Amino acid sequence: MIEVRNLHKYYGTLHVLRGIDVDIAKGEVFSVIGPSGSGKSTFLRCLNFLEEYQEGDVRFDGRLVGYRETVGKRLRAGAGSIAALRTRMGMVFQSFNLFSHKTVLENVMEGPVIVQKKPRGEVRTMALDLLAQVGLSEKAEQYPSKLSGGQQQRVGIARALAMQPEVMLFDEPTSALDPELVGEVLDVMKSLATGGMTMVIVTHEMSFAREVSDRVMMMDEGVVVEIDRPEVIFGSPRQARTADFLRRVV
Ligand code: ADP
Ligand code: MG
């Protein structure tokens, strides 16, 4: 579903991604781990073109992400086609990014109603189902400021799901939460994974990554150190850099 070939990304002269190669299959739960500053967020943001990349290919469902293919030259895709691609890829960030002046239900309904122009009644029913799925039915009419961080993040997940994305991208969705609120968000993610959603998850929750991932990618300094099944990465990593990293964080 996602094909990444020789991906390079620069911020000015800073060479942040240095030739990433990976394929992520439909239905796969794919986690990304590695030290702070290794390029995990940048990698994730290149998948839906929140960041431009300068070299290599990112393909989603066979189509080049962010660029138009022309003979001998690469041109930026139009805003419409980039926006259309993004609706197919839900994203959940570390910060919750909810609209504070809208209720929980309105937050979840916003995308389908405004962007996808779906009928309100139909969207409302779906949004209420999603809120039930993340365990927040009783909070539908509340404003985000009345919710705990864990509840806000679950609304964030419901809001991303409301666009009926084909893949969900998570960038450290629990790292801003108080420890006692992490579990409820991970539980929602676990049930999504069990339900067959394709997921790319940047996380520092190692036991979670070990439990839910089909494969784990270890990154360091903008390169892939290794990609393997979680039993291998966490049990007997092939690369010393992975073992060193895990010794420091676990
Ligand atoms: P990680 O998510 O693994 O912590 P990031 O992808 O956020 O790493 O960052 C990788 C590197 O790129 C870091 O050196 C960071 O300082 C740099 N970086 C990230 N975002 C920007 C930006 N918008 N402009 C300039 N440098 C950035
Ligand atoms: Mg990051």
Side-chain angles (χ1 to χ4, degrees):
M1 181 177 255
I2 298 170
E3 301 164 81
V4 178
R5 290 286 173 281
N6 191 34
L7 173 64
H8 288 263
K9 161 75 186 172
Y10 299 81
Y11 289 111
T13 55
L14 187 65
H15 194 179
V16 176
L17 300 179
R18 301 163 171 257
I20 307 279
D21 284 284
V22 63
D23 288 342
I24 299 167
K26 189 172 163 61
E28 188 167 26
V29 177
F30 187 87
S31 294
V32 182
I33 63 170
S36 177
S38 58
K40 305 181 298 297
S41 295
T42 304
F43 166 74
L44 199 68
R45 294 164 65 84
C46 284
L47 299 184
N48 65 355
F49 212 63
L50 280 180
E51 293 292 349
E52 289 181 37
Y53 51 96
Q54 284 80 29
E55 218 184 301
D57 290 350
V58 177
R59 284 174 197 280
F60 176 60
D61 218 8
R63 299 211 22 210
L64 194 62
V65 167
Y67 296 99
R68 283 189 284 139
E69 294 181 280
T70 50
V71 184
K73 205 171 170 197
R74 180 168 279 194
L75 299 172
R76 214 170 190 288
S81 93
I82 293 171
L85 168 99
R86 289 207 188 116
T87 68
R88 300 173 63 191
M89 307 174 100
M91 186 146 185
V92 177
F93 301 89
Q94 177 180 335
S95 56
F96 316 124
N97 298 311
L98 300 176
F99 300 113
S100 57
H101 59 289
K102 290 180 183 290
T103 65
V104 162
L105 181 61
E106 288 165 350
N107 265 279
V108 178
M109 291 177 62
E110 172 90 4
V113 169
I114 305 297
V115 180
Q116 295 176 325
K117 316 257 187 265
K118 289 186 178 169
R120 279 195 87 83
E122 181 187 306
V123 172
R124 189 169 192 281
T125 306
M126 175 187 63
L128 288 169
D129 281 350
L130 285 170
L131 287 174
Q133 197 180 315
V134 301
L136 290 174
S137 294
E138 74 286 5
K139 301 292 183 189
E141 303 302 335
Q142 290 280 4
Y143 284 87
S145 60
K146 304 282 183 203
L147 271 53
S148 72
Q151 291 170 333
Q152 289 186 47
Q153 192 58 301
R154 286 187 279 148
V155 176
I157 294 172
R159 193 175 62 170
L161 290 172
M163 300 293 275
Q164 298 183 299
E166 293 156 62
V167 51
M168 286 284 283
L169 310 176
F170 293 90
D171 192 358
E172 304 208 4
T174 61
S175 61
L177 298 176
D178 292 334
E180 73 273 20
L181 303 177
V182 168
E184 63 192 60
V185 173
L186 295 182
D187 285 345
V188 166
M189 292 169 68
K190 248 178 246 178
S191 73
L192 260 184
T194 311
M197 177 62 82
T198 309
M199 296 164 75
V200 186
I201 308 169
V202 174
T203 186
H204 58 249
E205 295 288 338
M206 297 302 156
S207 58
F208 171 76
R210 183 172 192 155
E211 186 184 343
V212 305
S213 309
D214 295 303
R215 287 186 303 155
V216 177
M217 175 165 94
M218 164 73 193
M219 282 183 73
D220 193 17
E221 298 184 337
V223 300
V224 175
V225 175
E226 60 182 312
I227 302 175
D228 220 314
R229 288 173 294 116
E231 310 86 87
V232 176
I233 294 285
F234 296 107
S236 48
R238 296 172 209 274
Q239 300 298 326
R241 269 197 282 180
T242 307
D244 289 345
F245 169 69
L246 290 173
R247 248 195 310 278
R248 277 182 280 125
V249 296
V250 180

